[in-house]
Amino acid sequence: MSAVHSDMKSNIKRVLFTEQEIKEKIAETGREISEKYDGKPLLLVSILNGAFIFMADLCRAVTIPCEIAFMCAKSYYAGTESCGEVTITKDIAQDISGFHVVIVEDIIDTGRTLAAIVELLKKRSPLSLEVVTLLDKPSRRVVDFNADKALFTIPDYFVVGYGLDCGEKYRNLPYIAEYSAE
Ligand code: IMP
Ligand code: MG
């Protein structure tokens, strides 16, 4: 495991998923996507900032031709509590009506972010639309929303690392860890 600075380690309760575990799940997901969309126009749409590392690794585990695009949504302000409102701060430029779209997200918590994004993208008539999330916290849902695939399902923990932040920090941890405020 890579060396991590002691300033980051002090708020880490424990590692939930190691680099190796994440890598294996992503390889499997990449294979599934490659088989499912073989011969079809595929667009991977990732939600910034949290999903940037997941997208970078997942798109390289996809072996078929595909395009990549990024959206930016804000639903979390500083700290660990959701503010309840979803704003799209950066949209994709593509006309998605000629694509099978796979949304690549870091985590589903209340479900508000993805419910809003899916509703928006569906209006643009993609050939199909599915959601792949790295992490899922089903116990926290406030809107009825489910991913087509979740690589890891977790209890109500606040997690950081592998793209996920707390107050914009910890995104660069190579693993996924439970965060503790103490
Ligand atoms: P939702 O709209 O409540 O489902 O929240 C989704 C967004 O909240 C995610 O894309 C993350 O950016 C953020 N989020 C939710 N739970 C966590 C967590 O445990 N750690 C870090 N970010 C989180
Ligand atoms: Mg996110």
Side-chain angles (χ1 to χ4, degrees):
M1 199 174 283
S2 328
V4 167
H5 195 278
S6 56
D7 283 358
M8 289 209 281
K9 274 192 176 153
S10 58
N11 285 307
I12 286 163
K13 214 165 179 180
R14 66 201 165 96
V15 175
L16 294 176
F17 306 109
T18 64
E19 287 180 77
Q20 190 55 34
E21 286 171 310
I22 299 168
K23 203 174 165 185
E24 284 166 17
K25 282 278 187 193
I26 289 181
E28 174 194 305
T29 309
R31 276 195 299 274
E32 288 168 6
I33 292 174
S34 306
E35 279 169 25
K36 184 168 175 184
Y37 297 101
D38 192 11
K40 297 174 177 166
L42 175 64
L43 174 67
L44 304 177
V45 177
S46 167
I47 318 300
L48 294 172
N49 295 332
F52 80 110
I53 294 179
F54 180 38
M55 173 65 136
D57 285 346
L58 181 62
C59 75
R60 285 178 290 178
V62 169
T63 52
I64 59 169
C66 68
E67 292 190 25
I68 284 160
F70 296 93
M71 289 179 86
C72 202
K74 274 245 164 296
S75 68
Y76 253 74
Y77 294 155
T80 60
E81 273 309 305
S82 170
C83 71
E85 231 176 82
V86 180
T87 337
I88 308 293
T89 53
K90 181 206 178 305
D91 204 343
I92 51 172
Q94 282 94 338
D95 171 5
I96 63 170
S97 63
F99 285 102
H100 292 273
V101 173
V102 176
I103 298 178
V104 178
E105 175 62 312
D106 55 351
I107 189 163
I108 308 180
D109 185 38
T110 64
R112 286 186 185 113
T113 307
L114 277 186
I117 287 173
V118 163
E119 194 191 317
L120 178 75
L121 294 186
K122 270 189 177 161
K123 284 186 194 148
R124 302 180 187 168
S125 311
L127 296 173
S128 67
L129 182 67
E130 76 163 306
V131 174
V132 173
T133 186
L134 177 65
L135 293 150
D136 191 8
K137 286 200 271 192
S139 66
R140 294 258 311 162
R141 253 358 155 265
V142 301
V143 298
D144 184 22
F145 184 86
N146 282 306
D148 298 279
K149 175 162 179 119
L151 277 67
F152 301 99
T153 300
I154 57 170
D156 184 11
Y157 297 153
F158 195 82
V159 294
V160 293
Y162 197 77
L164 291 113
D165 73 308
C166 180
E168 291 306 325
K169 294 203 181 76
Y170 303 95
R171 293 195 197 275
N172 58 328
L173 283 177
Y175 45 76
I176 297 165
E178 184 182 356
Y179 178 83
S180 116
E182 286 99 67

